Amino acid sequence: MTSAKGYAAQNPTTNLAPWNFERREVGPLDVQFDIQYCGVCHSDLHQIRDEWFPGIFPMVPGHEIVGKVVKVGDKVKKFKPGDLAAVGCLVDSCRTCDNCKVGLEQYCLNGGVGTYNAKGKDGVPTYGGYSNTIVVHEDFVLTISPKLSLPAVAPLLCAGITTYSPLRHWKVGKGHKLGVLGLGGLGHMAVKFGVAFGAEVTVLSTSPSKEHDAKKLGAHKFVVTTDKQQAKNVKGYFDFILDTVSAPHDFRFYLSLLKTNGTHIMVGIPPEPNQVPAFSIIGGRKSLAGSSIGGLPETQEMLDYCAEHNIVSDIELIDIKDITKAYERMVKGDVRYRFVIDMATL
Amino acid sequence: MTSAKGYAAQNPTTNLAPWNFERREVGPLDVQFDIQYCGVCHSDLHQIRDEWFPGIFPMVPGHEIVGKVVKVGDKVKKFKPGDLAAVGCLVDSCRTCDNCKVGLEQYCLNGGVGTYNAKGKDGVPTYGGYSNTIVVHEDFVLTISPKLSLPAVAPLLCAGITTYSPLRHWKVGKGHKLGVLGLGGLGHMAVKFGVAFGAEVTVLSTSPSKEHDAKKLGAHKFVVTTDKQQAKNVKGYFDFILDTVSAPHDFRFYLSLLKTNGTHIMVGIPPEPNQVPAFSIIGGRKSLAGSSIGGLPETQEMLDYCAEHNIVSDIELIDIKDITKAYERMVKGDVRYRFVIDMATL
């Protein structure tokens, strides 16, 4: 076994605190890398607080992981010690179902294995990236370009792919009007990708204070949704809305901003069921759709695209000892736009 | 003006009863036809009871109308006295918006004019097909083939086009597994069209007694959704579900029956907002979509398709004096599968 240390929640009601644990030995197809940076995702907090489903404790969160390879199994072909490497939300999947076979591991019909708060095929709980080292099958390890700022790459592994994937799937680009709902970790990546793909991007936000940033990120327009006149101006305006909000919100209103045949794509996960009036989708042949992260081939494609187009996340680098404070600020939306833990502080 | 007689609701709480009223004079582009048959749609009842929005009373319902032309304006080109003619849910629209210009009058951005419970551009209320005669602009009058049984054509004007249009829009056909939710007026037409378009059609119903009929209508499979084992067998099974149910139902369950990338299309209108858990669409990149009737060109295409493929509705012909009894049976689902009023009984 390989000794590891990290920050864990011992149960849903305590704060994260230092914890020592073990990773598996590096198998013939495994890659071990030392974690240099790990992004802080809102879902980390949802899961350590048991807000989605009963979690596996102790829990070491973190699924936006980048670092440097230190050891590889003797059958590993993609990596050698010293290479940069990354892991996102998945560390395994069944690899045999119809979805895995076409690179849609995120929709594995037998249940993919999450990077943390899951059990591997060996029955052992998985532990995430708030830690110093990780061992993962090479098929689930991604390559990253040294051209990009390494800490700013970390959030691409979840916030990046979660917004890149639906924009690609629905072929959002030139000629489309895209609304990005919520300007947080996911939203700011959605703006960058939407602009890069050629869409006209409007940020929809309840915080007028975010207009300056939205424009700086490349957004063409900014709409304060609580301003009646501004809201009226974008009725029936959008081909797509990418919805990154994970708090309850008014679907009747947002669906009214779509054109005929428009699609509202959810990537945030509000805790309660969405209230969707039938008239809101039937009148205008609209769709409410959802999308979850991305598969391995598409995540690699996204990372390569980012390297080519010089796209990274806007981050605030933190000391792991400040993680609880960071969570408090994240809940208030007080982060522009992603906290990333400098693992040298562990 | 033209004298007309029909059955009207004087207010939302009384039964339909005979009522005399006036239609406009036949203008240069108008067609007047004597109504021979009119289908009975569940939305007739919703509207005379004011269940959707405040209605215009007295209200003469009915938007599945077929008959014989008796008079045409001097600029009318499509019709001459003696021709068969039909009118569906719309008698006018703005004709200038982006949707009207491409034949999507059902999504007219300025609000189409309903066949009843609406006001025409002249400000006069529209009155529907539970009456002896109607005057409509020729652009909103459809041609029908004498090859088909006339009373059985009437329901095509709403139940037919409402199911035909989404199946065409989403290109449902060979290689697809289609679930039809609810086997009523709309559902039985969805089965006929789904089969005609080459899909594998499964009827999803809570009534085991409908299996025989479902198979007779051409359905390949029948699933009693309240039977746990049968439900389990179709988890993740369908490419599309066409949902004709207008009572509240469990979207978490029905969305779980879709494949990855599957689409649940609503054409029924439950009175309360649908409860849609985010996980139900995000896990599997699913869509909840809606569709409303069809535009004029597509409605004509559907009628022509039906003539070519010998498709009509399964109906029970009634005397207009029995309309209240028919409504009671319709609410209980006791009609196989559409009541049609024989207007000779008026």
Side-chain angles (χ1 to χ4, degrees):
Chain A
M1 306 295 271
T2 306
S3 296
K5 59 179 181 172
Y7 262 50
Q10 295 298 322
N11 61 58
T13 57
T14 55
N15 288 335
L16 292 178
W19 185 58
N20 294 319
F21 61 104
E22 289 186 321
R23 301 278 190 192
R24 68 167 179 258
E25 277 303 322
V26 176
L29 288 162
D30 282 342
V31 173
Q32 182 186 3
F33 67 94
D34 282 352
I35 299 171
Q36 296 182 293
Y37 302 100
C38 183
V40 177
C41 179
H42 208 127
S43 62
D44 297 344
L45 187 57
H46 283 301
Q47 292 187 73
I48 62 168
R49 295 250 173 98
D50 251 13
E51 289 172 352
W52 282 348
F53 49 86
I56 300 168
F57 292 88
M59 191 189 301
V60 178
H63 56 208
E64 296 182 338
I65 307 169
V66 295
K68 198 167 271 184
V69 175
V70 290
K71 193 172 174 186
V72 300
D74 53 15
K75 292 193 172 156
V76 167
K77 290 189 177 140
K78 268 166 61 184
F79 295 92
K80 59 180 190 311
D83 286 349
L84 292 175
V87 162
C89 302
L90 292 172
V91 290
D92 207 351
S93 71
C94 83
R95 298 151 183 255
T96 57
C97 73
D98 287 349
N99 287 341
C100 284
K101 279 192 281 191
V102 296
L104 293 173
E105 296 88 353
Q106 76 272 39
Y107 304 122
C108 173
L109 298 173
N110 299 304
V113 179
T115 299
Y116 69 88
N117 197 17
K119 283 188 176 167
K121 287 178 188 160
D122 54 7
V124 177
T126 57
Y127 299 113
Y130 293 14
S131 60
N132 66 330
T133 193
I134 194 165
V135 179
V136 177
H137 190 289
E138 71 164 333
D139 289 352
F140 286 76
V141 184
L142 299 140
T143 63
I144 44 182
S145 165
K147 275 172 45 184
L148 298 174
S149 159
L150 194 60
V153 165
L156 300 179
L157 278 305
C158 172
I161 186 62
T162 298
T163 49
Y164 181 94
S165 181
L167 294 176
R168 286 308 202 196
H169 178 71
W170 275 278
K171 298 184 171 54
V172 178
K174 273 214 174 70
H176 288 138
K177 292 184 163 66
L178 169 67
V180 173
L181 182 48
L183 192 64
L186 272 64
H188 93 290
M189 290 310 306
V191 171
K192 293 187 184 204
F193 287 130
V195 170
F197 299 165
E200 183 205 278
V201 177
T202 301
V203 169
L204 302 165
S205 174
T206 53
S207 315
S209 65
K210 288 192 171 171
E211 176 160 8
H212 177 74
D213 273 22
K215 297 280 174 70
K216 227 175 65 186
L217 289 164
H220 307 93
K221 299 188 178 186
F222 185 86
V223 167
V224 180
T225 49
T226 47
D227 178 311
K228 276 191 183 164
Q229 188 55 49
Q230 289 191 40
K232 204 176 151 191
N233 291 345
V234 288
K235 287 262 165 189
Y237 187 79
F238 299 105
D239 298 284
F240 298 95
I241 290 177
L242 192 64
D243 176 356
T244 71
V245 174
S246 60
H249 47 293
D250 179 0
F251 283 86
R252 184 192 301 264
F253 169 69
Y254 291 109
L255 289 164
S256 78
L257 306 187
L258 290 174
K259 282 183 191 169
T260 305
N261 294 322
T263 303
H264 182 114
I265 308 162
M266 298 191 71
V267 292
I269 304 179
E272 297 299 318
N274 310 316
Q275 307 283 318
V276 184
F279 275 116
S280 296
I281 51 171
I282 287 178
R285 199 160 53 191
K286 296 172 183 177
S287 295
L288 174 68
S291 177
S292 174
I293 51 171
L296 271 295
E298 195 176 46
T299 305
Q300 189 60 62
E301 174 196 308
M302 179 270 309
L303 289 167
D304 297 345
Y305 182 91
C306 287
E308 195 183 328
H309 294 82
N310 200 32
I311 293 174
V312 289
S313 188
D314 288 15
I315 65 158
E316 186 174 332
L317 203 61
I318 61 165
D319 187 310
I320 197 165
K321 289 169 207 69
D322 295 327
I323 185 64
T324 301
K325 218 181 299 168
Y327 281 161
E328 285 163 10
R329 287 183 50 202
M330 180 175 70
V331 167
K332 289 188 289 190
D334 175 24
V335 48
R336 296 191 172 181
Y337 279 92
R338 199 69 151 180
F339 289 118
V340 172
I341 304 167
D342 180 352
M343 218 49 72
T345 62
L346 183 66
Chain B
M1 306 294 273
T2 307
S3 298
K5 59 179 181 172
Y7 263 49
Q10 295 296 324
N11 61 57
T13 57
T14 54
N15 288 335
L16 292 177
W19 186 58
N20 293 320
F21 61 105
E22 289 187 322
R23 302 278 189 192
R24 69 168 179 259
E25 276 305 321
V26 176
L29 287 162
D30 283 341
V31 174
Q32 180 185 5
F33 67 93
D34 282 352
I35 299 172
Q36 295 182 292
Y37 302 99
C38 183
V40 177
C41 180
H42 207 128
S43 61
D44 297 344
L45 188 55
H46 283 301
Q47 292 187 74
I48 62 168
R49 295 250 173 98
D50 249 12
E51 289 172 350
W52 283 348
F53 50 86
I56 301 168
F57 292 87
M59 190 188 300
V60 178
H63 56 206
E64 296 182 339
I65 307 169
V66 295
K68 198 167 271 185
V69 174
V70 290
K71 193 171 174 186
V72 299
D74 53 16
K75 291 191 173 158
V76 166
K77 289 191 177 139
K78 267 167 61 185
F79 295 91
K80 58 179 192 314
D83 287 348
L84 292 176
V87 163
C89 301
L90 293 170
V91 289
D92 207 351
S93 70
C94 83
R95 299 156 184 250
T96 58
C97 73
D98 287 349
N99 287 341
C100 283
K101 280 192 279 191
V102 296
L104 293 173
E105 297 88 353
Q106 77 272 39
Y107 304 123
C108 173
L109 298 172
N110 299 304
V113 179
T115 299
Y116 68 90
N117 196 17
K119 282 188 178 169
K121 287 177 188 161
D122 54 5
V124 176
T126 57
Y127 299 112
Y130 294 14
S131 60
N132 66 330
T133 191
I134 193 165
V135 179
V136 177
H137 189 290
E138 71 164 334
D139 289 351
F140 286 75
V141 183
L142 300 138
T143 62
I144 43 182
S145 165
K147 274 171 47 184
L148 298 173
S149 157
L150 194 60
V153 165
L156 299 179
L157 278 304
C158 172
I161 186 62
T162 299
T163 50
Y164 181 95
S165 180
L167 294 176
R168 285 308 201 197
H169 178 71
W170 275 277
K171 298 183 171 56
V172 178
K174 273 215 173 67
H176 288 138
K177 291 183 162 67
L178 169 67
V180 173
L181 182 48
L183 191 64
L186 272 65
H188 94 290
M189 289 311 305
V191 171
K192 293 186 184 204
F193 287 130
V195 169
F197 299 165
E200 183 206 280
V201 177
T202 302
V203 169
L204 301 164
S205 174
T206 52
S207 316
S209 65
K210 288 192 171 172
E211 176 161 7
H212 176 74
D213 272 21
K215 298 279 175 69
K216 227 175 65 185
L217 289 163
H220 306 93
K221 297 186 178 189
F222 185 86
V223 167
V224 180
T225 49
T226 47
D227 178 310
K228 277 189 182 164
Q229 188 54 49
Q230 289 190 41
K232 205 176 150 192
N233 291 344
V234 288
K235 285 261 165 190
Y237 186 79
F238 298 105
D239 298 284
F240 298 95
I241 290 177
L242 191 65
D243 176 355
T244 70
V245 173
S246 61
H249 47 293
D250 180 359
F251 283 86
R252 183 191 301 264
F253 169 69
Y254 291 109
L255 289 163
S256 78
L257 306 188
L258 289 175
K259 282 184 191 169
T260 305
N261 296 320
T263 303
H264 182 115
I265 309 161
M266 298 190 71
V267 292
I269 305 180
E272 297 300 318
N274 310 316
Q275 307 283 317
V276 184
F279 276 116
S280 297
I281 51 172
I282 287 178
R285 198 159 56 192
K286 297 171 182 178
S287 296
L288 174 68
S291 177
S292 174
I293 50 171
L296 271 294
E298 195 177 45
T299 305
Q300 189 61 61
E301 174 195 309
M302 178 271 308
L303 289 167
D304 296 345
Y305 182 91
C306 286
E308 195 182 328
H309 294 82
N310 201 31
I311 292 174
V312 289
S313 187
D314 289 15
I315 66 159
E316 186 174 330
L317 203 61
I318 62 166
D319 187 309
I320 198 165
K321 290 168 206 72
D322 295 327
I323 186 64
T324 301
K325 217 181 300 169
Y327 281 161
E328 285 163 10
R329 285 183 51 201
M330 181 175 69
V331 168
K332 290 188 287 190
D334 175 25
V335 48
R336 296 188 174 182
Y337 280 93
R338 199 70 152 179
F339 289 118
V340 172
I341 303 166
D342 181 351
M343 218 48 73
T345 63
L346 182 65

